[in-house]
């Protein structure tokens, strides 16, 4: 164990000095649930963390590809964490986001890591916190987190991102469903992608009218974009740069961070499997199990 | 295992690569697919960023002779000698020995069954478990034939 820790320390030192290989290895360790003691970011330079979320198939990855290009032109170093679900049955995952991010493979100033949920949404958000911190410490100025938002899990992105873009597409209207989950209010900007196809305008109007029922001052703007044709992307980036998050969202953020940390504590407990077994056999109750794990 | 599936070079057909990617996923592996027309440098960087254990390369264009040795060399030179490389697509029999000598551990041509590829990966996993090399760096003669 002690040996392992010194090994991690060396990796960390080398990653902080700019080794891409060792940064990548550290991310794997964090993903596996290992504790990596990342020093607090003491410099005044803070990374900008952008969350991209929305239903499957609306073009999030293509849009991320455009954002990478946009920031690259500004001379920024961009890191992307692209999260895809893994099969709960086999644990396997097909991570295909890179296919739609041509700009991702084109240089030393872009780092893209695909992550699977490993059938464990709580787990991934917990390690995400450390991953983002590590990327930030290693000098990645702009960090994008891309997740498939469905139901409750998408709110997690609030815990990590400074700014959130919610993406929807024509003929979906899923976002109106998402309204119930609250993400629509938490977004800084709502983007209706594929603006070149019929139906996009109507979806944008529907979302706008749904938003008009809530407090208008802090409801997000709705913007039509075509990631495929690269129209509206510059405007989107301008809007997101100057958008101001409402204060109440900071509270939600702290709350979500607490929940993530809590999940992390539970899931990384050495007694987790034993507790699950004991609950299964009926020798302890759920509450007992929780007490043991949170001790 | 975490596996990067890549299409190096200029050929424009990836049905095979996609079928394999899907089969590996169903076999419980974590597969990152790169999409078409990646350069050796891009592929090596993707393997690094993803911290993959293995790299599957599919080529149909006949350029394997140039591309594969280049990719294997890049992996070795950038501290990724532990990464296992396997091939699929059209690799003529006469080129197999050369590919193996570059560090490739398996070649799956047309007609290969996906179960066989999964068995190969299982074999590789158990080699990792017993500290035997599977990567492009330390060739101890282990091949999947």
């Amino acid at each position: 164990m002690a040996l392992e820790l010194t090994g991690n320390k060396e990796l960390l030192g080398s990653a902080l000095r700019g080794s891409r290989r060792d940064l990548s290895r550290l991310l794997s360790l964090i993903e596996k649930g290992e504790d990596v003691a990342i020093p607090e970011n003491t410099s005044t330079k803070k990374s900008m963390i952008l969350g991209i979320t929305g239903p499957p198939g609306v073009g999030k990855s293509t849009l991320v590809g455009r954002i990478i290009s946009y920031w690259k032109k500004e001379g920024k170093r961009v890191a992307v964490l692209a999260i895809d679900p893994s099969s709960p049955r086999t644990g396997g995952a097909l991570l295909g986001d890179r296919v739609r991010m041509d700009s991702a493979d084109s240089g030393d100033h872009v780092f893209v890591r695909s992550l699977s949920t490993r059938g464990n949404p709580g787990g991934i958000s917990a390690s995400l916190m450390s991953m983002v911190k590590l990327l930030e410490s290693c000098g990645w100025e702009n960090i994008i987190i891309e997740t498939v938002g469905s139901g409750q899990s998408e709110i997690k992105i609030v815990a990590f991102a400074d700014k959130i873009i919610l993406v929807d597409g024509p003929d979906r209207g899923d976002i109106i469903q998402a309204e119930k989950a609250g993400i629509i209010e938490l977004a800084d900007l709502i983007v209706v992608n594929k603006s070149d196809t019929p139906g996009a305008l109507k979806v944008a109007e529907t979302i706008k009218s749904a938003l008009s029922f809530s407090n208008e001052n802090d409801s997000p703007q709705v913007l039509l974009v075509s990631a495929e044709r690269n129209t509206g992307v510059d405007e989107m980036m301008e809007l997101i740069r100057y958008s101001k998050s409402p204060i109440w969202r900071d509270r939600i953020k702290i709350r979500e961070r607490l929940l993530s940390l809590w999940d992390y504590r539970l899931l990384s407990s050495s007694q987790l499997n034993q507790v699950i077994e004991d609950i299964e056999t009926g020798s302890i109750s759920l509450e007992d199990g929780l007490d043991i794990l949170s001790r | 295992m975490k596996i990067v599936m890549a299409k190096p070079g200029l050929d424009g057909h990836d049905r095979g690569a996609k079928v394999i990617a899907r089969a590996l996923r169903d076999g419980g592996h974590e597969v990152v697919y790169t999409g078409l027309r990646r350069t050796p440098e891009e592929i090596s960087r993707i393997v690094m960023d993803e911290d993959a254990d293995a790299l599957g390369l599919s080529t149909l264009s006949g350029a394997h002779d140039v591309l594969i040795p280049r990719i294997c060399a890049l992996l070795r030179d950038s501290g990724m000698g532990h990464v296992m490389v396997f091939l699929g697509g059209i690799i003529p029999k006469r080129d197999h020995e050369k590919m193996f000598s570059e560090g490739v551990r398996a070649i799956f041509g047309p007609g290969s069954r996906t179960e066989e590829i999964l068995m190969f990966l299982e074999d590789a996993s158990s080699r990792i478990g017993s500290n035997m090399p599977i990567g492009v760096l330390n060739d101890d003669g282990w091949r999947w034939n």
Side-chain angles (χ1 to χ4, degrees):
Chain A
M1 189 66 192
L3 226 163
E4 223 167 70
L5 279 178
T6 40
N8 286 358
K9 224 175 177 177
E10 258 172 47
L11 276 183
L12 185 64
S14 149
L16 291 174
R17 284 191 301 275
S19 161
R20 194 171 175 122
R21 168 91 191 95
D22 289 336
L23 164 64
S24 178
R25 283 160 80 178
L26 274 174
L27 288 175
S28 300
L29 291 178
I30 295 172
E31 199 182 0
K32 282 182 196 127
E34 263 188 58
D35 232 343
V36 176
I38 307 150
E40 286 300 325
N41 186 5
T42 45
S43 78
T44 47
K45 265 175 75 182
K46 219 194 143 301
S47 299
M48 144 86 167
I49 300 154
L50 177 64
I52 307 284
T53 187
V58 294
K60 291 184 295 297
S61 301
T62 315
L63 199 61
V64 168
R66 294 296 182 196
I67 298 173
I68 294 172
S69 304
Y70 182 92
W71 275 338
K72 244 172 66 182
K73 254 187 264 159
E74 290 190 337
K76 293 281 198 304
R77 301 179 76 214
V78 188
V80 180
L81 298 172
I83 303 152
D84 270 325
S86 52
S87 153
R89 192 171 53 87
T90 63
L94 186 48
L95 311 164
D97 292 323
R98 297 196 85 105
V99 181
R100 296 185 184 81
M101 298 177 199
D102 279 345
S103 49
D105 305 326
S106 50
D108 291 336
H109 285 70
V110 183
F111 181 98
V112 178
R113 181 61 170 264
S114 320
L115 300 166
S116 76
T117 53
R118 298 250 161 105
N120 210 335
I124 186 81
S125 9
S127 38
L128 258 184
M129 218 184 308
S130 304
M131 288 187 190
V132 168
K133 207 166 137 189
L134 178 62
L135 287 169
E136 194 169 6
S137 305
C138 291
W140 294 90
E141 303 163 293
N142 288 15
I143 302 170
I144 303 172
I145 306 174
E146 184 199 333
T147 72
V148 175
S150 52
Q152 200 57 45
S153 69
E154 68 194 345
I155 208 166
K156 294 273 184 211
I157 203 166
V158 182
F160 314 106
D162 299 321
K163 300 277 175 77
I164 297 168
I165 298 179
L166 178 55
V167 189
D168 204 358
D171 310 320
R172 295 205 61 106
D174 290 7
I175 229 169
I176 303 300
Q177 289 296 318
E179 197 182 1
K180 293 171 200 153
I183 186 72
I184 200 163
E185 291 170 342
L186 295 171
D188 293 281
L189 184 64
I190 297 176
V191 163
V192 177
N193 193 22
K194 309 187 187 179
S195 63
D196 50 320
T197 59
L201 188 64
K202 190 159 173 255
V203 168
E205 290 305 326
T206 314
I207 295 169
K208 271 184 204 164
S209 85
L211 283 171
S212 67
F213 292 115
S214 62
N215 186 349
E216 276 177 50
N217 288 334
D218 50 20
S219 53
Q221 272 188 273
V222 182
L223 184 71
L224 280 159
V225 166
S226 168
E228 180 75 26
R229 298 192 179 181
N230 204 8
T231 55
V233 175
D234 289 2
E235 194 187 350
M236 174 183 83
M237 296 310 288
E238 285 291 296
L239 280 174
I240 203 73
R241 185 191 318 232
Y242 297 112
S243 73
K244 263 201 146 4
S245 301
I247 301 158
W248 52 264
R249 215 178 74 200
D250 292 337
R251 286 191 76 113
I252 298 183
K253 202 171 198 169
I254 294 168
R255 184 174 164 272
E256 288 299 323
R257 285 203 169 135
L258 273 174
L259 287 176
S260 290
L261 197 60
W262 175 252
D263 280 355
Y264 179 71
R265 290 254 172 96
L266 291 192
L267 293 167
S268 58
S269 163
S270 56
Q271 286 164 294
L272 182 67
N273 286 329
Q274 186 58 44
V275 164
I276 291 175
E277 242 170 69
D278 290 349
I279 295 173
E280 201 174 32
T281 58
S283 61
I284 59 170
S285 71
L286 278 175
E287 282 82 2
D288 294 340
L290 200 55
D291 285 344
I292 295 169
L293 290 177
S294 56
R295 226 175 266 151
Chain B
M1 282 183 137
K2 185 159 185 177
I3 303 161
V4 169
M5 282 293 301
K7 289 283 304 180
L10 291 176
D11 82 66
H13 297 272
D14 63 350
R15 180 56 53 89
K18 282 175 174 162
V19 168
I20 300 306
R22 175 70 198 268
L24 299 184
R25 183 200 75 164
D26 291 345
H29 298 280
E30 209 172 292
V31 188
V32 178
Y33 177 51
T34 64
L36 291 165
R37 290 184 280 274
R38 294 296 184 248
T39 66
E41 286 74 15
E42 284 170 352
I43 290 171
S44 155
R45 195 184 292 116
I46 292 170
V47 171
M48 181 184 283
D49 289 3
E50 300 288 355
D51 194 22
D53 308 301
L55 170 64
L57 294 162
S58 158
T59 144
L60 307 166
S61 64
H64 53 274
D65 210 23
V66 181
L67 293 169
I68 306 303
R70 175 95 188 111
I71 293 167
C72 292
L74 280 168
L75 290 177
R76 275 191 292 266
D77 295 347
S78 41
M80 293 184 288
H82 67 285
V83 174
M84 177 175 78
V85 175
F86 60 102
L87 302 186
I90 308 295
I91 317 284
K93 198 88 194 162
R94 62 165 189 273
D95 293 340
H96 281 203
E97 209 30 62
K98 180 172 183 211
M99 293 296 115
F100 284 135
S101 71
E102 291 291 338
V104 170
R105 299 292 189 159
I107 301 172
F108 299 99
S112 301
R113 286 164 34 249
T114 53
E115 293 88 344
E116 194 193 340
I117 305 177
L118 288 174
M119 274 159 59
F120 157 68
L121 293 172
E122 216 164 280
D123 203 14
S125 295
S126 67
R127 281 179 64 91
I128 296 178
S130 39
N131 274 324
M132 286 191 280
I134 59 165
V136 282
L137 185 58
N138 300 305
D139 189 359
D140 65 345
W142 175 64
R143 312 258 185 274
W144 185 268
N145 269 315

